[in-house]
Amino acid sequence: QVQLVESGGGLVQPGGSLRLSCAASGIIFSMNDMGWYRQAPGKQRELVAGITRWGQRTYADSVKGRFTVSRENAKTSVYLQMNSLKPEDTAVYYCNAKNNYEDYWGQGTQVTVSS
């Protein structure tokens, strides 16, 4: 059974930082491209950051320079370090694992940026 479990969300003030973690099980982690997506109320889900199985990173323009995605294959985990958070970063953040055959999603973790 495939599981992607996100953690690390919460309430933070503008300018603050959070680190999201996603622990994967039931997949060959090293053979999956991993991504972080987010969905704000009334908006479509969007890609925030991704890291391929080879370590190549991609970021949405809105988070470049503020967010950093990383992975640790030995711990079957992917991380999203979020700095200089803005109210517009408020959303549910989802972890995604993708390979040539399957596409998996976590349940999401809420991030709220507010004073």
Side-chain angles (χ1 to χ4, degrees), residues 80-93:
L80 185 66
Q81 178 66 44
M82 305 186 294
N83 298 328
S84 302
L85 282 160
K86 304 175 181 180
E88 51 263 44
D89 295 317
T90 295
V92 178
Y93 284 70

PDB file of all heavy atoms in Angstrom, residues 80-93:
ATOM      1  N   LEU A  80      10.382  20.384   1.857  1.00  0.00           N
ATOM      2  CA  LEU A  80      10.210  21.703   1.253  1.00  0.00           C
ATOM      3  C   LEU A  80      10.503  22.739   2.328  1.00  0.00           C
ATOM      4  O   LEU A  80       9.716  22.899   3.274  1.00  0.00           O
ATOM      5  CB  LEU A  80       8.795  21.891   0.714  1.00  0.00           C
ATOM      6  CG  LEU A  80       8.563  23.207  -0.049  1.00  0.00           C
ATOM      7  CD1 LEU A  80       9.380  23.221  -1.341  1.00  0.00           C
ATOM      8  CD2 LEU A  80       7.077  23.400  -0.361  1.00  0.00           C
ATOM      9  N   GLN A  81      11.634  23.402   2.195  1.00  0.00           N
ATOM     10  CA  GLN A  81      11.987  24.491   3.091  1.00  0.00           C
ATOM     11  C   GLN A  81      11.391  25.776   2.530  1.00  0.00           C
ATOM     12  O   GLN A  81      11.700  26.168   1.405  1.00  0.00           O
ATOM     13  CB  GLN A  81      13.503  24.622   3.207  1.00  0.00           C
ATOM     14  CG  GLN A  81      13.966  25.772   4.087  1.00  0.00           C
ATOM     15  CD  GLN A  81      13.595  25.574   5.547  1.00  0.00           C
ATOM     16  OE1 GLN A  81      13.741  24.488   6.095  1.00  0.00           O
ATOM     17  NE2 GLN A  81      13.097  26.641   6.190  1.00  0.00           N
ATOM     18  N   MET A  82      10.552  26.419   3.325  1.00  0.00           N
ATOM     19  CA  MET A  82       9.852  27.615   2.877  1.00  0.00           C
ATOM     20  C   MET A  82      10.267  28.796   3.745  1.00  0.00           C
ATOM     21  O   MET A  82      10.025  28.790   4.964  1.00  0.00           O
ATOM     22  CB  MET A  82       8.335  27.409   2.956  1.00  0.00           C
ATOM     23  CG  MET A  82       7.848  26.181   2.196  1.00  0.00           C
ATOM     24  SD  MET A  82       6.053  26.041   2.157  1.00  0.00           S
ATOM     25  CE  MET A  82       5.706  25.775   3.896  1.00  0.00           C
ATOM     26  N   ASN A  83      10.898  29.759   3.138  1.00  0.00           N
ATOM     27  CA  ASN A  83      11.345  30.959   3.840  1.00  0.00           C
ATOM     28  C   ASN A  83      10.620  32.187   3.303  1.00  0.00           C
ATOM     29  O   ASN A  83      10.015  32.154   2.228  1.00  0.00           O
ATOM     30  CB  ASN A  83      12.854  31.138   3.662  1.00  0.00           C
ATOM     31  CG  ASN A  83      13.667  30.003   4.241  1.00  0.00           C
ATOM     32  OD1 ASN A  83      13.278  29.378   5.235  1.00  0.00           O
ATOM     33  ND2 ASN A  83      14.807  29.713   3.622  1.00  0.00           N
ATOM     34  N   SER A  84      10.697  33.263   4.046  1.00  0.00           N
ATOM     35  CA  SER A  84      10.076  34.537   3.636  1.00  0.00           C
ATOM     36  C   SER A  84       8.632  34.327   3.196  1.00  0.00           C
ATOM     37  O   SER A  84       8.207  34.789   2.132  1.00  0.00           O
ATOM     38  CB  SER A  84      10.892  35.173   2.504  1.00  0.00           C
ATOM     39  OG  SER A  84      12.225  35.398   2.908  1.00  0.00           O
ATOM     40  N   LEU A  85       7.893  33.624   4.010  1.00  0.00           N
ATOM     41  CA  LEU A  85       6.525  33.269   3.645  1.00  0.00           C
ATOM     42  C   LEU A  85       5.631  34.498   3.544  1.00  0.00           C
ATOM     43  O   LEU A  85       5.794  35.478   4.299  1.00  0.00           O
ATOM     44  CB  LEU A  85       5.952  32.275   4.647  1.00  0.00           C
ATOM     45  CG  LEU A  85       6.451  30.840   4.432  1.00  0.00           C
ATOM     46  CD1 LEU A  85       6.269  30.006   5.692  1.00  0.00           C
ATOM     47  CD2 LEU A  85       5.746  30.194   3.263  1.00  0.00           C
ATOM     48  N   LYS A  86       4.692  34.416   2.608  1.00  0.00           N
ATOM     49  CA  LYS A  86       3.766  35.506   2.340  1.00  0.00           C
ATOM     50  C   LYS A  86       2.333  35.017   2.533  1.00  0.00           C
ATOM     51  O   LYS A  86       2.075  33.807   2.415  1.00  0.00           O
ATOM     52  CB  LYS A  86       3.926  35.984   0.893  1.00  0.00           C
ATOM     53  CG  LYS A  86       5.327  36.413   0.512  1.00  0.00           C
ATOM     54  CD  LYS A  86       5.413  36.756  -0.963  1.00  0.00           C
ATOM     55  CE  LYS A  86       6.825  37.166  -1.356  1.00  0.00           C
ATOM     56  NZ  LYS A  86       6.904  37.513  -2.810  1.00  0.00           N
ATOM     57  N   PRO A  87       1.401  35.910   2.800  1.00  0.00           N
ATOM     58  CA  PRO A  87       0.004  35.474   2.934  1.00  0.00           C
ATOM     59  C   PRO A  87      -0.494  34.702   1.719  1.00  0.00           C
ATOM     60  O   PRO A  87      -1.301  33.768   1.865  1.00  0.00           O
ATOM     61  CB  PRO A  87      -0.744  36.804   3.104  1.00  0.00           C
ATOM     62  CG  PRO A  87       0.254  37.706   3.755  1.00  0.00           C
ATOM     63  CD  PRO A  87       1.575  37.333   3.136  1.00  0.00           C
ATOM     64  N   GLU A  88      -0.005  35.033   0.547  1.00  0.00           N
ATOM     65  CA  GLU A  88      -0.448  34.330  -0.661  1.00  0.00           C
ATOM     66  C   GLU A  88       0.103  32.908  -0.766  1.00  0.00           C
ATOM     67  O   GLU A  88      -0.283  32.160  -1.664  1.00  0.00           O
ATOM     68  CB  GLU A  88      -0.096  35.120  -1.927  1.00  0.00           C
ATOM     69  CG  GLU A  88       1.342  35.573  -2.014  1.00  0.00           C
ATOM     70  CD  GLU A  88       1.534  37.007  -1.551  1.00  0.00           C
ATOM     71  OE1 GLU A  88       0.940  37.379  -0.502  1.00  0.00           O
ATOM     72  OE2 GLU A  88       2.289  37.751  -2.216  1.00  0.00           O
ATOM     73  N   ASP A  89       0.986  32.521   0.142  1.00  0.00           N
ATOM     74  CA  ASP A  89       1.451  31.135   0.202  1.00  0.00           C
ATOM     75  C   ASP A  89       0.472  30.247   0.973  1.00  0.00           C
ATOM     76  O   ASP A  89       0.655  29.024   1.025  1.00  0.00           O
ATOM     77  CB  ASP A  89       2.826  31.045   0.866  1.00  0.00           C
ATOM     78  CG  ASP A  89       3.905  31.742   0.059  1.00  0.00           C
ATOM     79  OD1 ASP A  89       3.925  31.575  -1.177  1.00  0.00           O
ATOM     80  OD2 ASP A  89       4.735  32.440   0.669  1.00  0.00           O
ATOM     81  N   THR A  90      -0.538  30.834   1.558  1.00  0.00           N
ATOM     82  CA  THR A  90      -1.532  30.075   2.312  1.00  0.00           C
ATOM     83  C   THR A  90      -2.256  29.101   1.397  1.00  0.00           C
ATOM     84  O   THR A  90      -2.809  29.495   0.359  1.00  0.00           O
ATOM     85  CB  THR A  90      -2.545  31.027   2.969  1.00  0.00           C
ATOM     86  OG1 THR A  90      -1.866  31.822   3.938  1.00  0.00           O
ATOM     87  CG2 THR A  90      -3.667  30.245   3.636  1.00  0.00           C
ATOM     88  N   ALA A  91      -2.228  27.828   1.771  1.00  0.00           N
ATOM     89  CA  ALA A  91      -2.828  26.776   0.953  1.00  0.00           C
ATOM     90  C   ALA A  91      -2.670  25.442   1.666  1.00  0.00           C
ATOM     91  O   ALA A  91      -1.955  25.345   2.665  1.00  0.00           O
ATOM     92  CB  ALA A  91      -2.161  26.710  -0.421  1.00  0.00           C
ATOM     93  N   VAL A  92      -3.318  24.442   1.121  1.00  0.00           N
ATOM     94  CA  VAL A  92      -3.022  23.064   1.502  1.00  0.00           C
ATOM     95  C   VAL A  92      -1.907  22.578   0.574  1.00  0.00           C
ATOM     96  O   VAL A  92      -2.015  22.706  -0.650  1.00  0.00           O
ATOM     97  CB  VAL A  92      -4.256  22.159   1.379  1.00  0.00           C
ATOM     98  CG1 VAL A  92      -3.891  20.719   1.738  1.00  0.00           C
ATOM     99  CG2 VAL A  92      -5.378  22.658   2.275  1.00  0.00           C
ATOM    100  N   TYR A  93      -0.857  22.048   1.176  1.00  0.00           N
ATOM    101  CA  TYR A  93       0.304  21.584   0.425  1.00  0.00           C
ATOM    102  C   TYR A  93       0.271  20.054   0.342  1.00  0.00           C
ATOM    103  O   TYR A  93       0.110  19.376   1.362  1.00  0.00           O
ATOM    104  CB  TYR A  93       1.589  22.058   1.088  1.00  0.00           C
ATOM    105  CG  TYR A  93       1.853  23.523   0.821  1.00  0.00           C
ATOM    106  CD1 TYR A  93       1.070  24.511   1.393  1.00  0.00           C
ATOM    107  CD2 TYR A  93       2.892  23.917  -0.021  1.00  0.00           C
ATOM    108  CE1 TYR A  93       1.297  25.855   1.136  1.00  0.00           C
ATOM    109  CE2 TYR A  93       3.142  25.254  -0.285  1.00  0.00           C
ATOM    110  CZ  TYR A  93       2.335  26.217   0.291  1.00  0.00           C
ATOM    111  OH  TYR A  93       2.566  27.551   0.038  1.00  0.00           O
TER     112      TYR A  93
END
